[in-house]
Amino acid sequence: MTVRDTFRSIGADIKAKATSRSAWVLPKESSSFAPPDTWTNKDNDVTPPERRVWTSLTILGYWFSDALNMQRWEAPASVILLGLTWREAILSQTLGMIIIAVPMVFNGAIGANLHVPYPVAARSGFGFHFAKFAVIVRFVTALFWHSIQTYSGSFALTNCISAIWPSYLDIPNHIPKSIGITTQQMVSHLLFWSIQFPILMIPPHKLRWFFVFKAVVVVASAIGVAAGMVKYASTSGDIWAQEPLVHGSQRAWLIMTCMMSSAGGWATMATNIPDFTRYMKGTKGQYWQALFLPVISTFLTVMSIIATSAGKVVYGQYIWDPTALASHWTGSKGRTARFFVGFSWAVAQIGTNVGANVVTAANDLTSLCPKYFNIRRGAVVVTIIGGWVMQPWKIINSASSLLTFMSGLAIFLAPVAAVLASDYWLVKRRKIDVPGLYDPHGRYRYWHGVNWRAVVTFAVSLGPNLPGLANSVTPSLGLTGGIVHLWDVNYLYGLFVAVFVYVSLSLIFPPKETFVKETISGDDVWPGPLDVESDIIDGVGTDGSVDTSREKKRLEVESEKPSL
């Protein structure tokens, strides 16, 4: 009866939502910082003190969970396929991680100090309404990454299934070749998506055990594959004596391209890192990620290069996909190893999607449409679009297209990350009116909710990179010269030019109305969510008494004079 009643309830809810848009409206939250006429929900509010439990060890565990994925394994091997050596592969990947760690740490401090999510933090620099554009840019990139990592996970699942039932690989294909995917691959994609879906519905803070489990199995798998291939080949291969296939300036520019691709792979996280550092217990623990990310990524780079090199000795070619490498293993021991490798990478992809992509995009939807989306609903929409609307198989078919894709995303995110960091550190000098971030008519309204300085910055940063992106995606355009080489340093250009332009405009035309003498935190003005049993509302008790500390802070906010 319980199961029957549950299905009846679900059916009635679906029927109501199918016939009336109002049925999708969420209950209006009374605990938010926004004015009564602005719709928002508690998922966007300042993180309450009881949920600020992250430490530097949590950050370490998070990056072990997030950085260990198939794309990180494939990226350095792709560098080798393009004609560079193992030394340049390690160099470009490590330096790329160091580059991206800079905006990641600076933006991470915003979440650790203010305890607000990225969509709210962006309002300080972009303006209350133009911040939605920055959120949409990040939302689209998160969708792409979720889509790609879901599709990659389906290959890992194929290894698991084919290790048990080899005939699974013999499923006849009924999908046209032009689509870019076979029937068997589509079945694997459907199965992986279905397995991943219920896990994505669980809040990340309840999946700590899963992240720890992922770190253990993926590290063991990476070391095991590298060591196993070396043992199988009786050597680590000839990759260590490999000569570059490109020379001169072409080689130098190719190294820069690979470096930017490495940085671009984490451009999304460098932008939305406040979504996670908002849960920090202290303000300094998040700085450790400047060390954690390059070290973890370099470890995976070395394992990937060793396995790829030894694989060439055995199979006669460099195999940059770890699931494709494992697919060559036969016999009882080989199939057992293939199952474990497939299982570990499937866990890796799910963990990355939970910890980065889905939470990221769901937060964006919650900010853009708070009347209809909370984080759970956002996660459902994100994984449906990412799993079936996107076509990642057309993006990851070759090494060059993967690098192009990663770099292409970075040029849109570089100015966003730059404005976010430079506004907080250089323009506002870490002095933010947190309650004002929630007020569409408050100090961060700028001109109709748009900070024109951020608009100009975005255009100057992005514009010169667009021809290089077009030439990279469509080489037949035949563009040459400086505009192409600018693309080779696309993320660095976009980041530093955006910082220079935004800070310069803010110094020449200072937005004085947004300046405050000291940070006004959410804890100061609203020390916690209110409920029906609360004795104090807006500084005045139901018995007529006044909460003097709160009233004092409110008066300070109202009387604040703009100052540089």
Side-chain angles (χ1 to χ4, degrees):
M1 291 298 295
T2 301
V3 174
R4 184 181 301 172
D5 292 342
T6 299
F7 276 102
R8 284 176 178 172
S9 176
I10 294 174
D13 187 53
I14 292 175
K15 184 178 180 180
K17 287 180 169 59
T19 57
S20 175
R21 188 177 68 174
S22 61
W24 289 93
V25 177
L26 293 167
K28 192 171 173 57
E29 302 283 354
S30 60
S31 62
S32 65
F33 286 75
D37 61 337
T38 301
W39 202 292
T40 184
N41 58 55
K42 63 182 180 181
D43 288 332
N44 276 326
D45 278 353
V46 174
T47 305
E50 62 270 16
R51 297 188 66 182
R52 301 172 193 172
V53 296
W54 281 35
T55 65
S56 57
L57 291 179
T58 311
I59 289 290
L60 175 62
Y62 174 80
W63 280 115
F64 259 115
S65 173
D66 200 17
L68 298 175
N69 57 63
M70 289 175 62
Q71 280 66 42
R72 286 299 97 201
W73 178 282
E74 294 167 357
S78 301
V79 175
I80 296 175
L81 275 180
L82 293 176
L84 297 176
T85 68
W86 66 271
R87 297 180 184 86
E88 293 152 338
I90 294 177
L91 176 68
S92 62
Q93 296 302 301
T94 302
L95 289 181
M97 291 298 97
I98 294 174
I99 290 171
I100 202 65
V102 175
M104 191 171 298
V105 167
F106 281 118
N107 286 331
I110 300 175
N113 290 324
L114 305 182
H115 303 288
V116 296
Y118 158 75
V120 174
R123 295 168 184 170
S124 173
F126 287 88
F128 191 91
H129 295 303
F130 188 54
K132 295 177 182 178
F133 171 76
V135 171
I136 291 172
V137 170
R138 201 275 305 263
F139 173 72
V140 172
T141 56
L143 272 180
F144 268 103
W145 277 118
H146 174 55
S147 178
I148 284 179
Q149 289 175 343
T150 298
Y151 183 65
S152 299
S154 69
F155 286 96
L157 184 62
T158 297
N159 273 354
C160 294
I161 298 175
S162 63
I164 302 174
W165 299 288
S167 60
Y168 177 74
L169 298 175
D170 300 328
I171 294 177
N173 181 41
H174 299 287
I175 298 178
K177 186 177 181 181
S178 60
I179 301 298
I181 187 173
T182 66
T183 300
Q184 179 267 312
Q185 291 170 346
M186 184 64 78
V187 171
S188 293
H189 184 61
L190 172 62
L191 291 174
F192 182 81
W193 183 87
S194 301
I195 294 171
Q196 176 181 250
F197 184 85
I199 301 177
L200 297 180
M201 298 300 102
I202 304 174
H205 67 274
K206 294 183 179 180
L207 285 172
R208 292 182 181 180
W209 61 270
F210 182 81
F211 293 144
V212 172
F213 176 69
K214 170 188 170 176
V216 172
V217 298
V218 176
V219 169
S221 175
I223 296 175
V225 169
M229 288 305 302
V230 169
K231 181 179 179 180
Y232 192 43
S234 298
T235 176
S236 60
D238 60 355
I239 199 170
W240 317 108
Q242 180 192 41
E243 294 295 327
L245 301 181
V246 292
H247 303 278
S249 61
Q250 182 184 0
R251 179 185 179 189
W253 286 114
L254 188 56
I255 292 174
M256 292 299 299
T257 300
C258 294
M259 194 184 304
M260 293 304 100
S261 176
S262 177
W266 293 108
T268 304
M269 285 303 301
T271 305
N272 72 264
I273 191 64
D275 282 342
F276 301 94
T277 56
R278 62 186 292 202
Y279 299 106
M280 293 297 298
K281 181 184 297 184
T283 60
K284 297 181 179 180
Q286 69 91 21
Y287 290 107
W288 281 100
Q289 57 187 331
L291 174 65
F292 294 156
L293 180 57
V295 169
I296 294 171
S297 297
T298 300
F299 159 76
L300 204 59
T301 295
V302 173
M303 295 299 102
S304 170
I305 291 173
I306 292 174
T308 301
S309 175
K312 186 174 187 296
V313 175
V314 179
Y315 306 115
Q317 60 179 327
Y318 292 124
I319 303 175
W320 62 293
D321 184 341
T323 59
L325 184 65
S327 67
H328 288 77
W329 303 342
T330 57
S332 59
K333 292 183 178 180
R335 287 167 60 184
T336 301
R338 190 200 314 172
F339 177 87
F340 176 76
V341 169
F343 175 77
S344 65
W345 288 115
V347 170
Q349 299 307 99
I350 293 175
T352 298
N353 273 332
V354 171
N357 303 321
V358 173
V359 172
T360 293
N363 266 321
D364 293 339
L365 279 179
T366 299
S367 173
L368 294 171
C369 308
K371 188 174 182 178
Y372 298 100
F373 289 101
N374 53 23
I375 288 182
R376 180 180 289 270
R377 281 190 185 179
V380 173
V381 172
V382 167
T383 194
I384 290 176
I385 294 177
W388 302 108
V389 177
M390 305 293 187
Q391 298 185 50
W393 44 83
K394 292 185 178 295
I395 299 174
I396 63 175
N397 280 334
S398 68
S400 60
S401 66
L402 178 61
L403 293 178
T404 301
F405 168 74
M406 294 167 70
S407 296
L409 292 181
I411 68 170
F412 292 93
L413 290 168
V416 177
V419 169
L420 195 66
S422 59
D423 178 78
Y424 179 73
W425 287 92
L426 301 177
V427 177
K428 306 294 172 49
R429 305 295 179 91
R430 298 184 295 169
K431 298 173 183 178
I432 302 295
D433 175 9
V434 174
L437 295 173
Y438 294 86
D439 187 354
H441 308 292
R443 69 172 73 246
Y444 299 113
R445 176 174 172 78
Y446 293 96
W447 180 77
H448 297 289
V450 177
N451 183 1
W452 63 268
R453 303 162 191 81
V455 176
V456 173
T457 299
F458 192 88
V460 173
S461 173
L462 177 64
N465 268 322
L466 291 179
L469 175 62
N471 186 69
S472 183
V473 174
T474 311
S476 59
L477 293 176
L479 298 180
T480 59
I483 198 69
V484 175
H485 292 320
L486 181 63
W487 169 255
D488 293 331
V489 292
N490 55 74
Y491 190 80
L492 277 178
Y493 168 83
L495 190 70
F496 287 105
V497 167
V499 170
F500 175 78
V501 172
Y502 183 77
V503 173
S504 298
L505 290 176
S506 297
L507 289 176
I508 298 172
F509 308 100
K512 295 182 179 181
E513 72 279 5
T514 66
F515 296 149
V516 292
K517 294 179 180 178
E518 298 294 337
T519 293
I520 304 172
S521 74
D523 296 338
D524 291 334
V525 177
W526 198 329
L530 300 176
D531 54 46
V532 294
E533 298 178 357
S534 177
D535 288 333
I536 299 292
I537 300 178
D538 293 332
V540 181
T542 56
D543 60 351
S545 62
V546 177
D547 179 357
T548 56
S549 62
R550 226 156 137 196
E551 181 68 7
K552 181 180 179 181
K553 178 59 69 175
R554 184 184 67 81
L555 293 174
E556 288 177 355
V557 173
E558 291 180 353
S559 63
E560 187 68 54
K561 300 296 183 181
S563 59
L564 180 60

